[in-house]
């Protein structure tokens, strides 16, 4: 055959493969002008909540993060929202939103500041906080690890060493024993993929390493840590509901006609989403067996923020805005608002066959000009999914109030309440009022 005939065949095959991929993996876009965002239907037992994390709000924590902040010369968390001293009035804010649920995390470095040293006062304070929430009719969801842990644990190699898992398990059992008589919903770890990729590949979280091999090892160990703790806590109290919070980022090829972009999409999707899902559905991730992972989730927490348009040349930094489709709105975090991805995320989690709790969703928006629309679009998507029969039980807005946004410091504001860090005055934003209205 002539060379150009071969070329034509190759071209036809290329086009066929791209066409199949485009059809098989559509990038959903809704014409929001055609949608009535006021039309929301939620069952009466749907759980409404807000979420926070210890290191982002408590203030003056001494942990892997505070160490990283000073060593790297990034913005320090410092007093944060001084929530450790203001928790009671902060719970007034939670209550006045009308939510019945509050997700927050326990700071391991407060409970166990040194190896073998337990701080009963700190545990007592968390216990008081729980009593206080319950007295207000607010059900707590407790996260046991939300990115931060004691410096001594980090110095032992943290989750890079499988042999360190028992340290974390000890802490979890201690907290669980003290609080599980009143707390039903437990979230073992927050975003194992974000924790490992940001900390061991992108150098943006502690310990600031840049190694794919270590990233994979940490991700696997964190999943194993969850599995260990799931089984040990269930043995202590079988009626507890235990899961973890998984960040789902939807990956889409920047150019849908480019097979290299598709290939990048599949690789990133596996590393970020697929590997962890596979641990719980098949008992394997990255080709390795994860014993007892199957059946170690009573629910899956979903943290959803955006989709990423990828090519093999994506920048490995958050200083640059990610690409967006022309009609999409860019958020202050540098990624687009893409509420459609919430349904795609829920579909990705479907093979786990457990109820879904939306443990985080929100937007960085200092002027509160985008948040009302962002909130309504995402709630509309959930409302539609509920009509389609998806088992979604709750929605926790990220976040109750502005707080320390990790590598971005205080520049990004996610709160339903604005926080003036000078005076520690909290002020309800318009979007907070909207959320309250919707809930009520
Ligand atoms: C999530 C984190 C949470 C917060 C939001 C914006 O990845 O779990 O702590 O920083 O992003």
């Amino acid at each position: 055959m002539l060379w150009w005939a071969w070329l034509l065949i190759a071209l036809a095959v290329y086009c066929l493969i791209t066409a199949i991929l485009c059809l098989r993996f559509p990038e959903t876009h809704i014409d929001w002008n055609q949608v009535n965002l006021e039309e929301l239907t939620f069952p009466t037992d749907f759980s409404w909540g807000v979420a926070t994390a210890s290191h982002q709000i408590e203030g003056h924590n001494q942990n892997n993060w505070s160490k990283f902040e000073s060593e790297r010369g990034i913005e320090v968390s410092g007093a944060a929202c001084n929530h450790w001293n203001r928790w009671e009035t902060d719970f007034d804010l939670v209550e006045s939103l009308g939510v019945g649920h509050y997700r927050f995390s326990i700071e391991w470095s407060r409970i166990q500041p040194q190896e073998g040293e337990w701080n009963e006062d700190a545990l007592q304070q968390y216990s008081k906080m729980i009593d206080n929430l319950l007295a207000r009719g607010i059900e707590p969801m407790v996260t046991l690890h939300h990115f931060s842990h004691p410096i001594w644990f980090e110095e032992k190699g943290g989750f890079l060493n499988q042999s360190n898992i028992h340290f974390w398990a000890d802490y979890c059992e201690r907290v669980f024993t003290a609080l599980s008589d009143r707390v039903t919903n437990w979230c073992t770890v927050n975003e194992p993929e974000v924790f490992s990729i940001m900390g061991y590949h992108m150098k943006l979280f502690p310990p600031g390493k840049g190694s794919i091999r270590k990233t994979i090892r940490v991700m696997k160990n964190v999943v194993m840590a969850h599995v260990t703790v799931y089984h040990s806590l269930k043995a202590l109290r079988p009626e507890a509901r235990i899961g973890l919070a998984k960040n789902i980022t939807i990956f889409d090829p920047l150019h849908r006609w480019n097979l290299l972009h598709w290939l990048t999409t599949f690789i990133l999707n596996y590393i970020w989403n697929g590997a962890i899902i596979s641990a719980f559905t098949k008992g394997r991730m990255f080709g390795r067996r994860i014993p007892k992972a199957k059946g170690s989730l009573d629910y899956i927490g979903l943290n959803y923020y955006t989709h990423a348009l990828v090519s093999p040349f994506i920048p490995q930094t958050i200083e640059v805005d990610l690409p967006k489709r022309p009609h999409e709105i860019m958020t202050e975090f540098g990624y687009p608002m893409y509420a459609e991805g919430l349904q795609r995320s829920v579909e990705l989690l479907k093979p786990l066959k457990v109820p879904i709790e939306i443990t985080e969703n929100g937007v960085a928006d200092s002027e509160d000009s985008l948040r009302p629309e962002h909130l309504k679009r995402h709630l509309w998507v959930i409302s539609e999914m509920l009509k389609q029969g998806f088992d979604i039980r709750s929605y926790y807005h990220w976040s109750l109030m502005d707080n320390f946004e990790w590598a971005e410091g205080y520049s990004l504001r996610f709160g339903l309440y604005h926080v003036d860090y000078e005076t520690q005055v909290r002020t309800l934003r318009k979007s907070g009022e909207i959320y309250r209205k919707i809930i009520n």
Side-chain angles (χ1 to χ4, degrees):
M1 244 198 289
L2 290 168
W3 65 267
W4 53 264
W6 282 114
L7 192 67
L8 271 181
I9 292 171
L11 230 117
V13 171
Y14 185 97
C15 291
L16 186 70
I17 297 174
T18 0
I20 292 172
L21 289 173
C22 287
L23 288 172
R24 172 78 184 72
F25 304 103
E27 185 183 314
T28 323
H29 284 279
I30 292 171
D31 180 357
W32 292 102
N33 294 321
Q34 303 301 316
V35 172
N36 179 0
L37 290 175
E38 308 303 319
E39 246 171 47
L40 302 172
T41 4
F42 283 87
T44 46
D45 60 354
F46 189 81
S47 304
W48 298 100
V50 284
T52 61
S54 56
H55 187 67
Q56 295 179 272
I57 59 169
E58 286 181 354
H60 303 300
N61 286 331
Q62 295 297 320
N63 56 25
N64 60 328
W65 258 95
S66 55
K67 187 165 174 266
F68 183 74
E69 292 154 21
S70 45
E71 282 175 5
R72 289 295 159 116
I74 58 172
E75 189 164 13
V76 295
S77 51
C81 304
N82 193 18
H83 175 75
W84 191 246
N85 298 309
R86 306 179 64 108
W87 60 269
E88 204 162 352
T89 45
D90 284 342
F91 289 175
D92 292 342
L93 309 181
V94 180
E95 188 177 357
S96 86
L97 282 174
V99 295
H101 297 259
Y102 176 53
R103 174 180 175 232
F104 68 101
S105 72
I106 305 260
E107 181 59 41
W108 180 6
S109 61
R110 284 190 188 274
I111 304 289
Q112 196 179 11
Q114 300 298 333
E115 186 184 351
E117 183 190 318
W118 300 92
N119 181 346
E120 283 307 322
D121 291 348
L123 192 53
Q124 222 18 63
Q125 168 150 338
Y126 284 117
S127 178
K128 256 172 57 189
M129 286 160 79
I130 283 159
D131 287 338
N132 190 288
L133 286 169
L134 292 172
R136 297 168 191 262
I138 298 168
E139 213 189 315
M141 174 187 269
V142 171
T143 305
L144 288 161
H145 187 277
H146 195 125
F147 298 162
S148 57
H149 50 236
I151 293 169
W152 63 264
F153 180 71
E154 186 83 342
E155 282 171 352
K156 284 177 182 295
F159 287 106
L160 189 58
N161 301 334
Q162 198 181 321
S163 57
N164 284 342
I165 291 176
H166 74 97
F167 290 111
W168 184 63
D170 283 353
Y171 144 79
C172 291
E173 278 173 32
R174 194 142 185 146
V175 172
F176 189 83
T177 306
L179 308 178
S180 65
D181 57 334
R182 285 152 293 150
V183 177
T184 308
N185 290 313
W186 292 83
C187 173
T188 55
V189 286
N190 183 65
E191 302 185 340
E193 64 300 306
V194 172
F195 172 76
S196 43
I197 293 171
M198 298 297 245
Y200 292 83
H201 170 56
M202 295 186 65
K203 305 182 190 162
L204 292 166
F205 282 18
K209 303 257 185 289
S211 150
I212 298 271
R213 213 169 40 84
K214 286 184 178 153
T215 303
I216 289 173
R217 195 156 110 204
V218 170
M219 207 189 292
K220 204 193 69 207
N221 286 346
V222 173
V223 169
M224 283 169 69
H226 159 84
V227 174
T228 308
V229 161
Y230 175 88
H231 292 293
S232 68
L233 302 189
K234 283 299 259 196
L236 291 172
R237 195 179 285 269
E239 63 275 25
R241 275 184 91 233
I242 305 175
L244 59 80
K246 168 87 192 77
N247 175 296
I248 295 279
T249 295
I250 297 291
F251 292 93
D252 283 310
L254 178 60
H255 299 309
R256 296 180 68 79
W257 47 264
N258 190 321
L259 282 185
L260 273 179
H261 294 197
W262 278 103
L263 186 67
T264 316
T265 301
F266 291 135
I267 294 170
L268 291 177
N269 180 55
Y270 180 76
I271 296 173
W272 194 283
N273 302 317
I276 292 176
I277 295 171
S278 146
F280 295 107
T281 50
K282 302 191 182 109
R284 300 187 81 83
M285 66 190 287
F286 299 112
R288 286 282 203 74
R289 233 169 65 75
I290 310 287
K292 292 165 114 185
K294 278 207 246 175
S296 71
L297 288 175
D298 297 329
Y299 70 85
I300 183 75
L302 165 60
N303 294 358
Y304 175 73
Y305 289 92
T306 193
H307 73 151
L309 302 175
V310 300
S311 80
F313 313 105
I314 26 156
Q316 297 282 308
T317 160
I318 45 170
E319 268 79 60
V320 189
D321 282 0
L322 285 171
K324 67 173 194 71
R325 300 295 178 213
H327 70 277
E328 285 179 339
I329 302 167
M330 196 52 122
T331 70
E332 283 174 18
F333 213 130
Y335 51 62
M337 166 154 97
Y338 180 62
E340 295 88 331
L342 186 52
Q343 169 140 4
R344 295 173 65 192
S345 305
V346 167
E347 279 161 6
L348 271 184
L349 295 173
K350 222 174 153 191
L352 294 172
K353 298 198 179 89
V354 288
I356 289 172
E357 311 280 348
I358 300 180
T359 36
E360 278 181 34
N361 172 245
V363 63
D365 178 24
S366 47
E367 299 301 320
D368 205 38
S369 51
L370 205 58
R371 193 173 289 103
E373 179 76 7
H374 187 278
L375 178 67
K376 287 184 195 169
R377 283 191 190 180
H378 286 80
L379 294 184
W380 184 84
V381 171
I382 300 170
S383 153
E384 290 301 299
M385 282 193 281
L386 291 169
K387 285 184 205 155
Q388 294 167 37
F390 286 98
D391 189 3
I392 304 167
R393 306 276 174 94
S394 62
Y395 176 84
Y396 291 80
H397 190 81
W398 184 273
S399 179
L400 167 67
M401 57 188 162
D402 295 338
N403 55 51
F404 178 72
E405 181 46 40
W406 310 113
E408 283 77 19
Y410 290 105
S411 62
L412 296 182
R413 292 180 174 268
F414 275 89
L416 291 173
Y417 286 87
H418 169 273
V419 174
D420 178 330
Y421 295 111
E422 293 287 312
T423 60
Q424 291 294 354
V425 170
R426 284 83 157 119
T427 315
L428 186 67
R429 291 195 163 107
K430 193 174 75 218
S431 49
E433 273 168 36
I434 294 173
Y435 190 42
R436 176 158 60 194
K437 251 202 214 128
I438 294 173
I439 298 169
N440 293 331

